[in-house]
Amino acid sequence: MIAAPRLRLVDGVNPVTRLAAAMLLTTPLLLTVDWVSAAVALVVQLVLFALAGVTPSVLVARTWPILIAAPIAGLSMLLYGRPEGTEYWSFWLARITDGSIELAVAVMVRVLAIGLPAVLLFMNVDPTELADGLAQVARLPSRFVLGALAGARLVGLFIEDWRAMGLSRRARGIGDHGAVRRFATMAFALLVLAIRRGSKLATAMEARGFGSDQPRTWARDSRVGRLDVVLLAMAIAIALLAIGCAVWAGTFHPVWS
């Protein structure tokens, strides 16, 4: 497993600020479907990631699901996007035209521009620090925050349970064939285990007073400072720059039009 590197530009930023910055950066990109705004945002993001210490190997290791999803989304738009302009190839419902090519590029780049910052901004965030920020900075209800924190803590246990089930099935000689059936049975067993563990955890937390409506105190203070303001300003600036470039280039295409 590749350890999460320290991001020099966001090391001291509150996790809630990172969440807000990701939302401010990606939400405007959802308002338009064009390749200029997404390309501008992606280029600026890659430059900032490089300055923050994210190497290409870490980028690929942390965001490989997005790197796979982007071309898949682009391929679907390429074959089944809006048919406009010159037609280059067609087969039944699939048609490759100038319009579908432009839409495919726009969607593929947009998936990267939206997904990469969301992943990289949170790759070294401690769940407890995020919970502290949600409760003290965002002022979310403590019951919701503590429940979410408990659920996040159980994710690592689920991974270990899945690995242990696979090893135990292989030790009994039933884990070397029938991949689909093996996955289905292990998934059902993990679901049953998760329900049982969740019920026990909920009972234990209720017994310890975590479900009380009384105001809670927190062991660690969660504060925001200048770095948080800088990160939010950078997110807003990137979003405005991307949308502004699209309007200037004449490619701005609102999703509602």
Side-chain angles (χ1 to χ4, degrees):
M1 180 180 298
I2 298 179
R6 302 303 299 175
L7 302 182
R8 292 190 295 268
L9 296 182
V10 293
D11 277 348
V13 176
N14 192 288
V16 175
T17 304
R18 300 191 190 191
L19 177 61
M23 295 177 61
L24 290 174
L25 175 59
T26 59
T27 299
L29 297 178
L30 299 175
L31 303 179
T32 175
V33 183
D34 69 277
W35 67 272
V36 174
S37 60
V40 171
L42 182 60
V43 170
V44 177
Q45 290 169 15
L46 293 177
V47 172
L48 293 178
F49 292 153
L51 295 176
V54 179
T55 61
S57 59
V58 172
L59 181 66
V60 173
R62 292 288 175 175
T63 64
W64 64 266
I66 298 175
L67 298 179
I68 295 176
I72 294 177
L75 179 61
S76 63
M77 292 297 102
L78 178 65
L79 297 177
Y80 305 106
R82 62 176 184 267
E84 295 181 356
T86 305
E87 180 177 311
Y88 300 99
W89 180 83
S90 64
F91 177 75
W92 197 28
L93 298 178
R95 299 175 62 185
I96 299 179
T97 62
D98 290 334
S100 65
I101 293 175
E102 181 180 353
L103 184 59
V105 174
V107 169
M108 183 171 61
V109 179
R110 192 163 305 279
V111 170
L112 295 175
I114 293 176
L116 293 185
V119 173
L120 293 177
L121 283 175
F122 286 91
M123 67 181 180
N124 60 353
V125 172
D126 181 61
T128 303
E129 294 180 357
L130 177 59
D132 290 335
L134 292 175
Q136 300 177 49
V137 178
R139 302 295 182 182
L140 294 181
S142 59
R143 296 182 65 178
F144 168 78
V145 172
L146 293 172
L149 175 60
R153 289 297 188 185
L154 290 179
V155 174
L157 295 179
F158 291 155
I159 298 175
E160 294 298 328
D161 291 337
W162 182 271
R163 184 179 297 110
M165 284 191 295
L167 294 176
S168 63
R169 291 174 64 88
R170 184 176 296 274
R172 290 183 303 213
I174 58 176
D176 295 328
H177 58 278
V180 176
R181 181 179 179 181
R182 181 175 68 252
F183 176 83
T185 55
M186 290 178 59
F188 181 76
L190 186 62
L191 175 62
V192 173
L193 182 61
I195 294 175
R196 292 177 178 176
R197 181 175 289 157
S199 300
K200 293 179 180 179
L201 179 61
T203 302
M205 293 181 68
E206 189 70 24
R208 288 171 172 81
F210 286 100
S212 174
D213 293 328
Q214 298 296 324
R216 300 192 61 88
T217 58
W218 304 91
R220 297 183 299 183
D221 291 334
S222 181
R223 297 187 177 91
V224 294
R226 295 181 179 178
L227 290 178
D228 299 86
V229 177
V230 171
L231 182 61
L232 292 177
M234 291 173 60
I236 296 175
I238 295 174
L240 293 178
L241 176 63
I243 298 299
C245 290
V247 174
W248 176 77
T251 61
F252 184 77
H253 184 75
V255 295
W256 57 83
S257 64

